[in-house]
Structures are given as C-alpha cells and as structure tokens.
Amino acid sequence: MPCHIWAYTRKFYLKMDRDKIRSRHMWLFVLLFFVGATSRYDLVLFARIPVSELLAFLLLPLVLQGVPLKRFWSALVPVFAVLIIWAFSILLSDLVNGLDFSRFLKALAKPIWCMLWMFFFIGVLFKESRAVLLYFVGMILASFQNYFFPQAWTVERITSGGYDSVAYGIAPIVISICVALAALLYGKSRWVSVFFFVVCGVLLGVFGAPRSNIALMMFNALIVALIWWNQRGVNRLGRVSLKKLMMFVILGVSACWLIYEAYIMLASEGWLGEYQRNKLIDQTDTVFGDSILGIIVGGRTRVFGAILAIMDNPIFGYGSWNAWLLGDYYYDAVAYVGTSAKDLSSLSTAGIISSPGHSILFQSWMENGILAAFSLLVIGYWMLKDLILLIQKDDRLAPVLIYLFASFFWAYLFSPFGVQHRLTIGLFLAIYLMRCNEFSPFLYVGGFRMSKRKF
C-alpha cells in the first residue's frame, strides 16, 4: 500500500510540474511558429538574412533568461574552439588570396550565425523542447508565401515552369506539410510518421521533384522504422560506440543502395516522368557507366571539380565566394567524367560560367582551406552521434531531427551551404551541449524533462 501511495503522489507532482512548464513557456510555441513562418522571407543586407533569423536573434536574451549557461561551460569550450577555427580559416584564406571585405563578411556569417542559433536552441530545448515542432508548422505558411509571393532570387525559377517550378515552389509545400504531420502525430504512432514520409516521397515523385528529395523522404521513413524496432525490443542497439557507428554507416550505405536500385527501375521505365528518364540517360553516359558512382559523378560534376581544385591547393583554399573564378576545374571534371563534346559546346555557346563546389564540405575546403574542412568534419561527427543517440533513446522531436539531419548531410556532400543549414548546425550543436550536460531532450519522457537536474 505505501508503494502505491508513493507512486500516485509522485505522478500527481510530476503532472503539476508539467502543467507549470506548459503555462510558463507557452510564448515559446508562438515564437517558434513565427520563426518558421518568416524563414523564407529574406532581407538582403551584407548577405541573405531571413526575417526568422532577425526575430530569433533579437529575442535571444529573453530566450536565454534563466538558463544556467555556466553549467554548459565545459562542453562549450570545444564547440567554441571548432567555431573559432572555422572563422579563423575564413580570415586566413581571404588574407592569403586577397581580402574582399564583403565576401569575407558573407563567409564569416556562417560560423557566427550557427553559434547564435545554437544559443537560441539551448534556451528553447532547456525550457520547452516541444516548441520546436511549431517551427515546422510555421514552415507550412512560409512555403505557401514562397510559392505565391516568391522573392527576387526565386521568382525566375518558380515562374519558369517545369522542373525548377516543382523544385523551388511545389516541393517545399509538400515537404513542410508532410514533415509537420509526421512530427505532430509521432506521439500517436511511429508508423503514422513512416506513412507521411512515404506519402511525401510518393507525392514528390508524382510532381516530378528532385530525386534527392524523394530519396531523403524514404531514408527518413527507414530511420523512424528503425527507432520503432529498437524501442519495441527495449533498446536493442545499446550504447553508442565505434562499432555502432560503423554499423550505422553500413546500414546507411545499404539503404542508399536499395533507394538507388528502386530509382533506376522507376526512372528507366519512365514512371518518374520523361525528364527523369532523360536525366538518368545523360548521367549514366559517362566513363563510370550505369553505376552509383556514375549517377553521383554525372549528376554532381561540380563536386568532382571542387575535389580537383582542392588537390591543387589543399591548405589555404582560394578565398571566400571565389568559386566562380575556378571554372577551369569544372570543365576538367566534365572532361574526366566523359561528358560529350556536344554538352561542352552548348555550355560555351550559352556563355554559362559553371563553377566547382556544390557541397558544404568540399566547397568550404576549396574556398577556405583545410581548417574549414576540419571544423565541418568535427561538426558532422557530433551531429552523427546526436542522430545515433536519438535512434537509441527516441524523442518526440525525432521526425523533425531526422529530416533536418538527412537534408543537411545531403547538402554536406552534394549541395551548397544554404541559410537553412545555419539553423540545422545550431540546433544539433545545442543538442550536443544538452547531451553533454545531461539536459538532453533524449532524456525526456513523453516530451517532458525528468527530474534529474541539480542546481
């Protein structure tokens, strides 16, 4: 009997604590909604700065109020060190290659903005982690604003019709709706989230969206299914270790192989549309033939060009935002891959200046040197550990974190650094710091903190 009384009493006080948390931090839900809703409306100052960033950073003192930052100091030291090395590499490479102050500021904004987002999410995760879900609800509004009232840099692409219109207009709407639904209904059932990720991939395929978007949605569904399998077997995966990291790499490669085979079958039969069929034919017409390497190198020749440029100058790079000066490396990459003379002639006739890059890691290395690459490799390692811990522990935020991780790591290897990646790095750095201080959102039960903290 005393045990039952203690259990009911503890449950009552935990409920009271949850109610206090809800009422005290409801304003964070509203803030995160508006941060998401304004994420695609940019102001052009010295660089593209979304209104969401201005809103989040102006309210940073309020978000951090009451957060014991001193408790984070031991974990903050290595994070600050990595961000400082990243900033120093930008300064050093620009000094070596001739400092252009405006380009230097645009490049320096990356580590500084990542740090500001990190502090913002430390406050949010410490006070009420579920508020992050409202960011993705706000993203639905932002995606419609982007489609019906596009900004200067997207107007031409969205209004051009065809592939670009889908990639920059329709795809963000479909993704934001499906990711928000997958996240909001995750607490009801893991399989509901799997369903919405799969539906998202199918819809993107029907609309003719980029193949990477479709593949990433299927990858997200696989990771959520893996979480379900792990939790159903009472943490079958155990603790994080190097062996577990290697296992996840093997599983990831296997998943990519399955997605690749499915894509080859669907695209070659024309089930993904004539555009994707012709694109597959063009990208397999290389020295690597019909293979994963052929698809990657044929579709991301700019990344190969960046690697060629890095080989010639691996230490200091070529300076911030100077990729447009390195077109010769792109044409060398095209020649090595085996693109036909007809394609090269059409590029020259059109007067198109194609530059190497198109990868967060390799373009940063190419422009700002080996120290920038080292910083991003460390950040990528921390993010991967965060993902593995998420799979092991599970959390209400799992769908959105998986989506952000997958999108970032595709860009990490195969797409340029975008403004949304500053937020992603900041969020995962915040999770890393919370984890190091046992404030991790993966220690929450049902979205609420366990009473483990000691002040």
Side-chain angles (χ1 to χ4, degrees):
M1 181 63 70
C3 292
H4 290 294
I5 294 174
W6 163 248
Y8 284 119
T9 304
R10 182 174 180 274
K11 184 177 180 181
F12 173 75
Y13 279 108
L14 283 176
K15 184 178 185 303
M16 287 182 61
D17 185 54
R18 291 197 296 265
D19 292 339
K20 289 179 181 178
I21 291 172
R22 282 175 175 169
S23 61
R24 194 189 316 156
H25 301 302
M26 281 299 295
W27 63 274
L28 279 174
F29 289 88
V30 179
L31 173 60
L32 267 294
F33 173 80
F34 281 105
V35 168
T38 56
S39 59
R40 288 185 174 270
Y41 193 86
D42 300 333
L43 299 177
V44 181
L45 302 176
F46 61 90
R48 278 180 54 208
I49 301 178
V51 173
S52 59
E53 292 188 330
L54 295 178
L55 181 61
F57 300 159
L58 286 174
L59 294 177
L60 193 55
L62 182 60
V63 174
L64 287 175
Q65 187 177 10
V67 178
L69 289 178
K70 290 183 179 179
R71 291 289 304 275
F72 292 87
W73 180 247
S74 60
L76 272 171
V77 171
V79 173
F80 277 145
V82 168
L83 293 176
I84 289 171
I85 291 172
W86 187 3
F88 176 73
S89 70
I90 294 170
L91 175 62
L92 182 62
S93 67
D94 283 5
L95 288 175
V96 169
N97 293 283
L99 181 65
D100 183 298
F101 194 65
S102 62
R103 293 177 189 168
F104 167 71
L105 284 180
K106 289 173 67 176
L108 193 62
K110 296 175 184 177
I112 293 176
W113 260 235
C114 290
M115 180 185 66
L116 293 174
W117 275 119
M118 176 186 72
F119 280 114
F120 177 81
F121 281 113
I122 284 175
V124 172
L125 294 175
F126 184 85
K127 294 177 178 178
E128 180 51 270
S129 68
R130 296 172 304 157
V132 176
L133 299 176
L134 269 292
Y135 172 83
F136 289 87
V137 177
M139 280 289 292
I140 298 174
L141 186 62
S143 64
F144 278 101
Q145 171 262 307
N146 175 69
Y147 184 78
F148 291 106
F149 307 100
Q151 299 246 244
W153 75 281
T154 56
V155 168
E156 184 177 350
R157 292 183 179 274
I158 290 178
T159 57
S160 64
Y163 179 79
D164 280 350
S165 179
V166 174
Y168 290 88
I170 296 176
I173 295 175
V174 175
I175 291 172
S176 61
I177 293 174
C178 289
V179 170
L181 289 173
L184 293 173
L185 298 175
Y186 186 72
K188 300 294 183 182
S189 171
R190 306 296 181 264
W191 288 108
V192 173
S193 289
V194 172
F195 170 77
F196 279 111
F197 279 129
V198 171
V199 166
C200 185
V202 172
L203 289 177
L204 291 173
V206 170
F207 285 120
R211 297 166 300 179
S212 59
N213 288 347
I214 302 169
L216 290 175
M217 289 302 131
M218 298 305 177
F219 177 80
N220 297 341
L222 286 173
I223 296 297
V224 174
L226 180 60
I227 291 176
W228 171 85
W229 173 81
N230 184 51
Q231 295 302 315
R232 193 164 183 257
V234 192
N235 199 10
R236 291 168 170 166
L237 298 175
R239 296 182 62 185
V240 178
S241 65
L242 182 60
K243 184 179 178 181
K244 296 285 174 39
L245 285 171
M246 293 303 298
M247 183 187 72
F248 274 95
V249 170
I250 294 171
L251 286 173
V253 171
S254 301
C256 291
W257 178 266
L258 291 173
I259 293 171
Y260 161 77
E261 292 294 341
Y263 164 71
I264 292 293
M265 182 187 70
L266 295 172
S268 61
E269 296 295 331
W271 293 350
L272 299 180
E274 193 63 22
Y275 178 85
Q276 294 292 352
R277 182 174 177 274
N278 292 332
K279 194 170 184 179
L280 174 64
I281 293 172
D282 290 340
Q283 291 181 355
T284 53
D285 186 20
T286 67
V287 294
F288 300 104
D290 187 4
S291 65
I292 291 182
L293 186 59
I295 294 290
I296 292 174
V297 177
R300 286 295 184 268
T301 314
R302 294 185 183 186
V303 179
F304 186 30
I307 295 173
L308 295 178
I310 290 167
M311 291 171 64
D312 283 350
N313 188 7
I315 304 301
F316 298 110
Y318 298 87
S320 301
W321 296 90
N322 280 339
W324 64 279
L325 297 173
L326 307 174
D328 288 345
Y329 288 104
Y330 170 73
Y331 287 105
D332 287 344
V334 170
Y336 287 142
V337 168
T339 299
S340 66
K342 178 182 176 182
D343 293 334
L344 290 172
S345 176
S346 64
L347 285 172
S348 302
T349 304
I352 297 174
I353 302 176
S354 291
S355 58
H358 221 66
S359 163
I360 291 177
L361 176 62
F362 294 115
Q363 186 163 346
S364 296
W365 190 348
M366 179 184 71
E367 292 185 350
N368 299 126
I370 195 168
L371 290 178
F374 168 78
S375 303
L376 286 168
L377 284 170
V378 173
I379 290 171
Y381 172 73
W382 285 338
M383 292 177 68
L384 182 59
K385 289 193 71 173
D386 286 340
L387 177 72
I388 293 172
L389 184 63
L390 171 64
I391 294 172
Q392 291 175 308
K393 299 295 184 181
D394 197 6
D395 186 73
R396 183 68 181 271
L397 300 181
V400 297
L401 294 179
I402 292 167
Y403 163 73
L404 288 174
F405 177 90
S407 301
F408 175 80
F409 264 85
W410 173 260
Y412 191 75
L413 297 175
F414 302 123
S415 287
F417 198 116
V419 294
Q420 71 277 15
H421 299 129
R422 302 192 291 234
L423 178 145
T424 301
I425 292 175
L427 174 57
F428 275 89
L429 287 179
I431 292 172
Y432 167 76
L433 292 171
M434 301 286 283
R435 175 165 58 83
C436 290
N437 290 275
E438 297 186 353
F439 299 151
S440 172
F442 309 146
L443 296 177
Y444 296 3
V445 175
F448 299 102
R449 296 179 187 79
M450 298 172 68
S451 56
K452 277 192 172 185
R453 292 181 292 178
K454 299 176 182 179
F455 298 102

